[in-house]
């Protein structure tokens, strides 16, 4: 205030710059969706903690723009949600997964289920179930080859409606994982009512293994509860052999992380894991 107009103008300029950047990025994302260029998926394996056998694959969205370079999905997924682009983006990504699975099947491979992340708007979109059903039919996919990951916050205020949608997904043979488990507002009172199959422990707990007694206590509690509820447990973000070994103390079925593999382009995943 003391500096008068200049200070105000500086602040407002930097806001403009940021706003301008988002607008430019929105235009770029729109172009990418129109042309289909620069958007694709990488695939990260989930393996059995004890044997290392491939059990499932997570599809992670990737976007590289000619002027922005690689943009993190942590940025462009929320951007797509804010700008109404999430629906076309979602359809493109799901179709990409279905096409990929069909191509692996056609080459005589036996793919494992591929998990797709669902944002709030994707999960609550009225066409979700019909779209997935249509993909299964169009690409002649065996039941259960698509699975889904979502965070608890998505389900928070409309639990009964959420259960209906989750049941419809389960009826299609889809596994459903609660992503980033332990970080959100866990409503333990209704967790047992949700027709989900898997708890995916957030990587922050895995990365504090051996360093933070508190996070080990939470890990023990979550895995114990999951076992009681007959839910599969995945630990994500496993980066070191020490973390993998530490996880053996707990009831963790699957692990995922850089120790096993980074997210890979489809062909690399295929060569290393499916061939
Ligand atoms: P997420 O679903 O929790 O995905 C896990 C993130 O951790 C991914 O980041 C993955 O690349 C990264 N990761 C995997 N292993 C390790 C590890 O060992 N160490 C560390 N430090 N990180 C690891 P990514 O690909 O940048 O995705 C970020 C987030 O963006 C995802 O978090 C997910 O919430 C969202 N996202 C990604 N793809 C999609 C998509 O297709 N649809 C939707 N709705 N969201 C997506
Ligand atoms: Ca995920
Ligand atoms: Ca996660
Ligand atoms: Ca996350």
């Amino acid at each position: 205030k003391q500096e008068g107009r200049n200070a105000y103008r500086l602040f407002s300029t930097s806001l403009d710059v940021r706003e301008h950047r988002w607008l430019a990025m929105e235009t770029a994302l729109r172009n990418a969706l129109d042309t289909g260029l620069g958007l694709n998926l990488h695939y990260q394996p989930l393996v059995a903690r004890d044997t290392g056998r491939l059990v499932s694959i997570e599809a992670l969205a990737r976007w590289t723009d000619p002027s922005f370079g690689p943009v993190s999905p942590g940025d462009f997924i929320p951007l797509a949600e804010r700008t109404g682009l999430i629906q076309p983006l979602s359809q493109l990504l799901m179709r990409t997964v279905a096409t990929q699975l069909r191509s692996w099947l056609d080459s005589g491979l036996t793919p494992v289920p591929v998990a797709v992340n669902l944002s709030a708007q994707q999960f609550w979109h009225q066409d979700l179930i019909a779209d997935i059903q249509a993909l299964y039919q169009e690409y002649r996919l065996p039941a259960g080859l698509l699975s889904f990951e979502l965070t608890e916050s998505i389900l928070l205020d409309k639990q009964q409606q959420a259960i209906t949608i989750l049941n419809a997904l389960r009826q299609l043979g889809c596994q459903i994982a609660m992503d980033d488990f332990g970080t959100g507002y866990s409503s333990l009172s209704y967790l047992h009512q949700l027709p989900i199959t898997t708890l995916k422990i957030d990587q922050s707990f895995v990365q504090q293994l051996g360093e933070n007694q508190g996070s080990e206590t939470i890990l023990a509690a979550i895995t114990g509860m999951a076992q009681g509820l007959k839910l599969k447990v995945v630990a994500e973000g496993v980066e070191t052999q020490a973390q993998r070994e530490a996880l053996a103390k707990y009831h963790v079925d699957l692990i995922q992380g850089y120790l096993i593999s980074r997210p890979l382009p489809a062909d690399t995943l295929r060569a290393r894991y499916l061939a």
Side-chain angles (χ1 to χ4, degrees):
K1 214 171 187 181
Q2 268 171 352
E3 280 164 359
R5 277 190 192 158
N6 282 343
Y8 173 76
R9 207 177 288 152
L10 260 178
F11 180 57
S12 123
T13 305
S14 79
L15 264 186
D16 280 354
V17 167
R18 233 189 313 166
E19 187 57 24
H20 180 79
R21 188 180 154 79
W22 281 121
L23 276 173
M25 209 181 261
E26 177 186 343
T27 306
L29 184 57
R30 220 173 270 282
N31 283 337
L33 285 166
D34 285 345
T35 59
L37 294 175
L39 280 165
N40 70 344
L41 288 165
H42 277 185
Y43 298 88
Q44 190 177 32
L46 281 73
V47 305
R49 180 188 51 73
D50 45 5
T51 64
R53 181 179 56 93
L54 178 75
V55 174
S56 133
I57 296 169
E58 180 174 7
L60 292 156
R62 294 291 177 261
W63 177 34
T64 303
D65 175 77
S67 53
F68 288 104
V71 183
S72 153
D75 287 331
F76 72 80
I77 299 288
L79 173 69
E81 287 237 310
R82 285 200 300 277
T83 54
L85 295 175
I86 192 69
Q87 197 50 20
L89 175 60
S90 171
Q91 296 204 323
L92 175 76
L93 295 175
M94 291 231 224
R95 192 162 285 276
T96 305
V97 170
T99 307
Q100 191 56 68
L101 281 167
R102 179 37 50 210
S103 127
W104 285 333
L105 288 163
D106 286 345
S107 3
L109 301 168
T110 316
V112 294
V114 175
V116 173
N117 290 281
L118 293 181
S119 67
Q121 287 184 41
Q122 289 176 274
F123 180 79
W124 289 110
H125 196 278
Q126 54 179 8
D127 296 338
L128 176 74
I129 301 298
D131 285 350
I132 294 168
Q133 239 163 350
L135 281 181
Y136 266 112
Q137 274 169 14
E138 185 179 341
Y139 291 88
R140 292 168 292 114
L141 300 177
L145 269 192
L146 294 175
S147 68
F148 296 93
E149 297 190 0
L150 53 151
T151 57
E152 283 174 287
S153 60
I154 294 177
L155 312 179
L156 214 55
D157 34 57
K158 293 187 276 186
Q159 286 162 22
Q160 283 315 313
Q161 290 110 300
I163 288 173
T164 307
I165 298 171
L166 293 170
N167 272 326
L169 289 171
R170 298 282 293 120
Q171 230 126 58
L172 292 171
C174 303
Q175 302 262 309
I176 301 159
M178 273 302 174
D179 208 351
D180 302 347
F181 194 76
T183 60
Y185 299 88
S186 298
S187 178
L188 298 183
S189 58
Y190 78 91
L191 189 64
H192 73 280
Q193 298 174 25
L194 293 178
I196 58 171
T197 56
T198 310
L199 290 187
K200 200 162 181 182
I201 299 174
D202 189 70
Q203 48 191 47
S204 57
F205 298 108
V206 175
Q207 277 151 21
Q208 287 167 39
L209 270 174
E211 288 167 22
N212 180 328
Q213 187 54 46
S215 82
E216 298 224 10
T217 305
I218 292 175
L219 209 83
I222 292 177
T223 53
M225 181 180 69
Q227 204 172 7
L229 294 172
K230 301 201 162 54
L231 297 172
K232 249 183 282 178
V233 179
V234 181
E236 69 175 353
V238 181
E239 295 181 350
T240 67
Q241 188 57 32
Q243 287 166 351
R244 182 181 192 161
E245 279 158 21
L247 286 168
K249 278 204 298 259
Y250 307 100
H251 182 86
V252 169
D253 305 285
L254 308 182
I255 58 174
Q256 174 184 17
Y258 297 164
L259 176 69
I260 308 302
S261 169
R262 291 192 172 251
L264 302 169
D267 288 344
T268 315
L269 187 285
R270 172 200 161 123
R272 289 198 196 150
Y273 287 90
L274 299 176

